[in-house]
Amino acid sequence: MNLPLFAETLLIEGADAPAFAHAQFSSAVKSLAVDRWQFSAWLDPRGRVLALFHLARLADDRHLLLLRGGSAAVMAEALRRFVFRSKVRITALPPRHLACGPALAQGSLASEPAGDDDLSLGCDSHSLRIGSVGDDAWRLQQLRAGWPWLPDSCLGELLPPAISLQRLQAVVVDKGCYPGQEIVARLHFRGGHKRHLHRVTLSQAANAGDVLRQEGRDIGRVLDVIANGTEFEALATLNDELVAEADAGNTLILDDDVAITLLSSWPA
């Protein structure tokens, strides 16, 4: 059975909210128009991903973050340490439900007339709705698109190339300084990271966060996994040298007789 994923959201509001978000997060926040969303991330000084999220601009001075893993309360508390004298208010909202809605243009927002209690994020073939009723019909579509959901054990552990954040435009190298920006730029211009994102099937059930091993070596990590009939589809970060041994469609045998078949791969 697939475990439900809840909407962990937080608000960043105030006159200095756009500047604060632009300085802290790795996407091109200043270019985000009202009633639009973009992928973004919060990195530590080592360039590790502390949080991955949908960043929605609800008004000129109001942003909503929908986390793809992690706790809104924990992130809000951590962000408040960097407010200093800025006119910014950060509020973690109570967890809500996520549901699949009708198709909406990628990056668009739609809300109920009463406000943003029910908010839909356009994802092209569908929309991701934050509200009082949930389902998991959206999960397989987003997994197949290579949109990671980060388990708690991976927060603060992965570099952006490992989860394809540049492809999602969640990190950019042509804006001012933000935490981890020097590492992002170095990896972009020099490369060298040895682990990247793949969609796979697994022969056995697995949990998000599980370490994949071959001959005792850590060769990857399961990020998200969905039981789909008799198969287990997953997003995983895998070592490049392992992937080089198998073209798409080939199967590798890992420890504990876990068979892994590569279906799709994404660059950094």
Side-chain angles (χ1 to χ4, degrees), residues 167-188:
R167 174 182 63 95
L168 297 178
Q169 298 182 337
V171 295
V172 294
V173 296
D174 57 350
K175 61 175 272 190
C177 186
Y178 56 87
Q181 185 269 343
E182 182 179 345
I183 306 302
V184 169
R186 185 183 307 158
L187 291 170
H188 171 72

Side-chain angles (χ1 to χ4, degrees), residues 135-177:
D135 61 51
D136 64 359
W138 55 275
R139 287 188 61 190
L140 189 59
Q141 298 181 70
Q142 296 195 1
L143 184 152
R144 289 176 172 173
W147 293 8
W149 194 282
L150 302 184
D152 288 350
S153 61
C154 290
L155 299 176
E157 296 296 325
L158 302 173
L159 288 166
I163 49 176
S164 194
L165 291 196
Q166 192 164 342
R167 174 182 63 95
L168 297 178
Q169 298 182 337
V171 295
V172 294
V173 296
D174 57 350
K175 61 175 272 190
C177 186

Side-chain angles (χ1 to χ4, degrees), residues 5 37-39 52-54 66 68-69 104-108 121-128 138-151 163-165 167-169 197-199 223-226 234-236 266:
L5 297 174
W37 73 266
Q38 63 184 209
F39 284 111
L52 172 65
F53 46 89
H54 303 261
L66 168 60
R68 296 186 68 87
L104 287 174
Q106 175 79 12
S108 63
L121 285 69
C123 304
D124 194 16
S125 64
H126 64 289
S127 56
L128 183 58
W138 55 275
R139 287 188 61 190
L140 189 59
Q141 298 181 70
Q142 296 195 1
L143 184 152
R144 289 176 172 173
W147 293 8
W149 194 282
L150 302 184
I163 49 176
S164 194
L165 291 196
R167 174 182 63 95
L168 297 178
Q169 298 182 337
L197 184 68
H198 305 269
R199 180 168 69 94
L223 301 181
D224 192 13
V225 60
I226 298 174
L235 283 180
W266 292 279

Side-chain angles (χ1 to χ4, degrees), residues 189-207:
F189 291 110
R190 300 182 184 178
H193 194 58
K194 304 299 185 184
R195 187 169 284 193
H196 293 93
L197 184 68
H198 305 269
R199 180 168 69 94
V200 303
T201 57
L202 300 170
S203 63
Q204 301 177 22
N207 296 313

Side-chain angles (χ1 to χ4, degrees), residues 101-120:
L104 287 174
Q106 175 79 12
S108 63
L109 295 179
S111 60
E112 296 298 320
D116 50 74
D117 285 344
D118 283 345
L119 183 68
S120 293

Side-chain angles (χ1 to χ4, degrees), residues 201-205 230-232 251-253 256-261:
T201 57
L202 300 170
S203 63
Q204 301 177 22
T230 60
E231 290 187 327
F232 300 95
T251 298
L252 294 167
I253 305 301
D256 299 319
D257 293 324
V258 175
I260 182 171
T261 303

